[in-house]
Amino acid sequence: MPYNRILTIQDISCVGQCSLTVALPILSACGQETAVLPSSVLSTHTAGFTGYTFRDLTDDMPAIEAHWKKEGITFDAVYTGYLGSDKQIEYVKSIVNTCLKPGAPFIVDPAMADNGQLYPGFDDAFAATMATLAFSGDIILPNLTEACLITGYEYRETYDRAYIDGLLDALVERGAKTIVLTGISYREGYTGVVVYDEGKYSYYEHEHLEPGSHGTGDVYSATFVGALMNGHTTADAARIAADYTVRCIKATVGDKDHWYGPKFELELPWLIKNL
């Protein structure tokens, strides 16, 4: 098993099983050294909680980069999640240029929207800046809404394979190298992942579960990165991440007191076994 140092850059929601509180344990369970750069700290995530605290850490990012550069610290992969501002995106670009080893993968989850809507606090200008980050990456992990926003492609709630093929073409035309497009459903009761890698398309279908859970996208992205950095192909990493995320949702459904995030910890033994 390869042992890599991976840097993940996203927020910390102290309670809520999302963002760095998901990425750090999952990547560590995948046997990878995991370095973190928190973009902000929140007492909880913002979906369903009220009165949460928020501390912006944007201004700390350049000093952290400078220290890493001074110490000669570099990374075998960089993976980004939720970023809160245009300024943070520009700092991430600088960190990638400074600290990512030559030829190492830069993986972007453009976490900013779902179900046809931007997350609160984001606007079209932010989406345009996020697009510049996404298309500078080696691998992008958008959902349908995010893929439409970074390409200008028309968003549709109902679609067919021809529509998704057109969206993938738009992503490639804008500069996407490898694409993992999540949440794509061609029939009722199922959803899946479309992968574009080295000029080839593939689709992995899996069970669609309701209700969903805040944080499952973060679970998926972290698991994908962990599997990829363990030597799995892009398609196999996408499959492992999908299967693990479904198991995490199943482990959570039915517990009305645990509405705020997926019980991903319970399924870590399965993930470790299946890497």
Side-chain angles (χ1 to χ4, degrees):
M1 179 185 295
Y3 183 65
N4 301 290
R5 179 191 286 155
I6 301 170
L7 170 65
T8 180
I9 308 173
Q10 49 190 308
D11 70 287
I12 296 176
S13 292
C14 299
V15 173
Q17 292 169 303
C18 66
S19 59
L20 282 181
T21 56
V22 164
L24 176 56
I26 288 178
L27 289 172
S28 298
C30 290
Q32 306 298 315
E33 179 187 352
T34 308
V36 301
L37 177 51
S39 56
S40 58
V41 179
L42 296 86
S43 53
T44 67
H45 64 60
T46 60
F49 293 105
T50 59
Y52 49 83
T53 67
F54 172 83
R55 182 171 296 277
D56 185 356
L57 300 179
T58 302
D59 292 340
D60 293 284
M61 296 172 79
I64 291 170
E65 177 189 355
H67 184 226
W68 286 344
K69 184 177 181 179
K70 177 177 177 291
E71 295 293 331
I73 295 171
T74 57
F75 302 99
D76 298 295
V78 173
Y79 140 56
T80 64
Y82 184 97
L83 299 170
S85 67
D86 294 355
K87 194 173 183 180
Q88 288 187 355
I89 290 173
E90 294 307 318
Y91 285 153
V92 167
K93 291 178 183 177
S94 178
I95 290 166
V96 169
N97 288 333
T98 301
C99 300
L100 184 62
K101 291 180 180 179
F106 175 35
I107 303 152
V108 179
D109 176 1
M112 62 177 173
D114 203 2
N115 299 316
Q117 300 290 328
L118 284 159
Y119 294 152
F122 292 154
D123 56 19
D124 290 340
F126 177 83
T129 306
M130 178 60 78
T132 66
L133 184 71
F135 292 120
S136 70
D138 298 295
I139 302 173
I140 58 172
L141 305 169
N143 60 35
L144 179 61
T145 303
E146 291 157 350
C148 290
L149 284 168
I150 63 177
T151 58
Y153 204 73
E154 177 191 5
Y155 173 79
R156 297 180 186 174
E157 291 185 0
T158 59
Y159 48 82
D160 56 15
R161 289 180 184 270
Y163 168 83
I164 297 300
D165 287 345
L167 176 57
L168 290 168
D169 289 343
L171 288 164
V172 172
E173 287 170 5
R174 286 290 305 273
K177 302 175 184 69
T178 299
I179 305 161
V180 180
L181 181 61
T182 61
I184 303 304
S185 176
Y186 294 128
R187 61 179 179 140
E188 187 176 354
Y190 293 87
T191 188
V193 185
V194 180
V195 175
Y196 172 85
D197 187 27
E198 297 182 348
K200 297 180 180 179
Y201 298 89
S202 62
Y203 178 65
Y204 180 68
E205 186 179 69
H206 58 83
E207 184 179 0
H208 178 67
L209 297 172
E210 292 288 354
S213 174
H214 187 83
T216 52
D218 298 333
V219 168
Y220 182 90
S221 296
T223 308
F224 171 84
V225 174
L228 185 78
M229 297 306 291
N230 268 282
H232 289 277
T233 66
T234 304
D236 281 345
R239 173 185 54 79
I240 291 168
D243 289 344
Y244 177 64
T245 304
V246 168
R247 293 182 69 92
C248 294
I249 296 171
K250 286 183 175 180
T252 311
V253 169
D255 186 345
K256 294 181 180 179
D257 293 329
H258 203 98
W259 52 267
Y260 49 84
K263 297 180 180 179
F264 72 93
E265 301 93 342
L266 299 178
E267 295 298 328
L268 284 173
W270 179 92
L271 175 60
I272 293 167
K273 180 180 178 181
N274 284 271
L275 284 175

